[in-house]
Amino acid sequence: DTGVSQNPRHKITKRGQNVTFRCDPISEHNRLYWYRQTLGQGPEFLTYFQNEAQLEKSRLLSDRFSAERPKGSFSTLEIQRTEQGDSAMYLCASSPGLQSYEQYFGPGTRLTVT
Amino acid sequence: AQSVTQLDSHVSVSEGTPVLLRCNYSSSYSPSLFWYVQHPNKGLQLLLKYTSAATLVKGINGFEAEFKKSETSFHLTKPSAHMSDAAEYFCVVSNSPLNTNAGKSTFGDGTTLTVKP
């Protein structure tokens, strides 16, 4: 399967701990996106990369959140000092690039902060 | 700025009857528009996309959508609902490639489709 993969699929952590999620996009896709989805809502944009460059960050992405895509391939999303309000599904998507913006989504990482 | 409004949070149809899920959008530039489906405990799957070619777009599983610029709408339809169509549907707007924020996508809040036997 050559789709978008995310790890871990589930993460339970205690408030105040740091967590890191990984996303592996479809090979050769230039763009990579992170979203957050809570129950009953549509995905909310967090940030996206064109190759290794982070082009935009949502205001939702507080200082506790950071994302990287160091070599333009996989990406990591880190949340520091987690809060209960961070509990959500974190989705990653990739798209081919400049002329085509359909996004292909991974299965998500479900974060539960206790 | 861009936004999308899904006019119905829930739609219920009987199996074999037509489906209509409504979506209005707002975009400062010529938009790209998409519909995604999310089945329970499954990932988001692309149903169809509009990117300034034909205004009537055909997608997977018999779905289609029509881009109407004058009405700023992109409604999703299917002639005959199947039980397997029951899911959450999301309308999405993205800016055109000419925009500096090209590619950023805004999702609607979703429409839950229920199909009754």
Side-chain angles (χ1 to χ4, degrees):
Chain A
D1 188 295
T2 57
V4 178
S5 62
Q6 293 186 246
N7 288 290
R9 295 290 306 277
H10 303 273
K11 179 70 176 179
I12 300 174
T13 191
K14 293 184 178 180
R15 185 164 50 93
Q17 297 296 305
N18 299 344
V19 294
T20 299
F21 309 141
R22 176 176 170 130
C23 171
D24 288 88
I26 294 172
S27 178
E28 299 181 354
H29 275 193
N30 295 321
R31 291 197 172 220
L32 186 148
Y33 307 78
W34 285 100
Y35 294 87
R36 181 172 66 187
Q37 186 177 23
T38 53
L39 196 63
Q41 302 294 319
E44 296 174 292
F45 170 82
L46 293 178
T47 188
Y48 80 95
F49 294 84
Q50 171 76 29
N51 298 315
E52 67 275 10
Q54 189 173 18
L55 296 186
E56 186 169 352
K57 292 173 58 174
S58 165
R59 287 172 294 178
L60 293 174
L61 216 64
S62 75
D63 291 344
R64 298 184 296 107
F65 288 70
S66 62
E68 294 182 342
R69 195 183 183 196
K71 297 183 180 179
S73 56
F74 73 92
S75 175
T76 58
L77 177 69
E78 180 182 16
I79 309 174
Q80 296 182 328
R81 305 181 302 281
T82 53
E83 303 172 355
Q84 287 189 322
D86 297 331
S87 295
M89 178 74 84
Y90 289 84
L91 297 169
C92 176
S94 67
S95 69
L98 291 175
Q99 299 302 320
S100 183
Y101 288 137
E102 68 268 26
Q103 296 177 29
Y104 298 85
F105 283 82
T109 295
R110 181 168 295 284
L111 173 66
T112 302
V113 181
T114 62
Chain B
Q2 60 188 21
S3 65
V4 60
T5 302
Q6 293 185 239
L7 299 170
D8 307 290
S9 58
H10 292 86
V11 170
S12 181
V13 301
S14 296
E15 189 175 21
T17 63
V19 176
L20 170 64
L21 305 183
R22 299 182 294 164
C23 172
N24 286 352
Y25 71 91
S26 172
S27 178
S28 302
Y29 300 88
S30 297
S32 295
L33 293 158
F34 308 85
W35 277 97
Y36 286 84
V37 61
Q38 189 174 36
H39 288 90
N41 299 315
K42 301 281 188 179
L44 285 153
Q45 181 183 17
L46 178 67
L47 271 180
L48 50 78
K49 65 178 181 180
Y50 166 77
T51 54
S52 76
T55 56
L56 182 62
V57 180
K58 294 187 183 299
I60 62 172
N61 300 334
F63 285 94
E64 62 182 37
E66 186 171 8
F67 173 70
K68 292 186 177 180
K69 186 175 181 179
S70 61
E71 299 177 10
T72 61
S73 70
F74 190 58
H75 301 334
L76 181 70
T77 60
K78 182 174 181 178
S80 176
H82 191 272
M83 296 296 291
S84 62
D85 295 328
E88 188 82 8
Y89 291 80
F90 294 98
C91 181
V92 181
V93 61
S94 294
N95 283 331
S96 80
L98 297 176
N99 186 275
T100 54
N101 287 333
K104 176 186 174 182
S105 297
T106 301
F107 279 70
D109 287 335
T111 298
T112 302
L113 175 64
T114 301
V115 182
K116 298 176 290 186

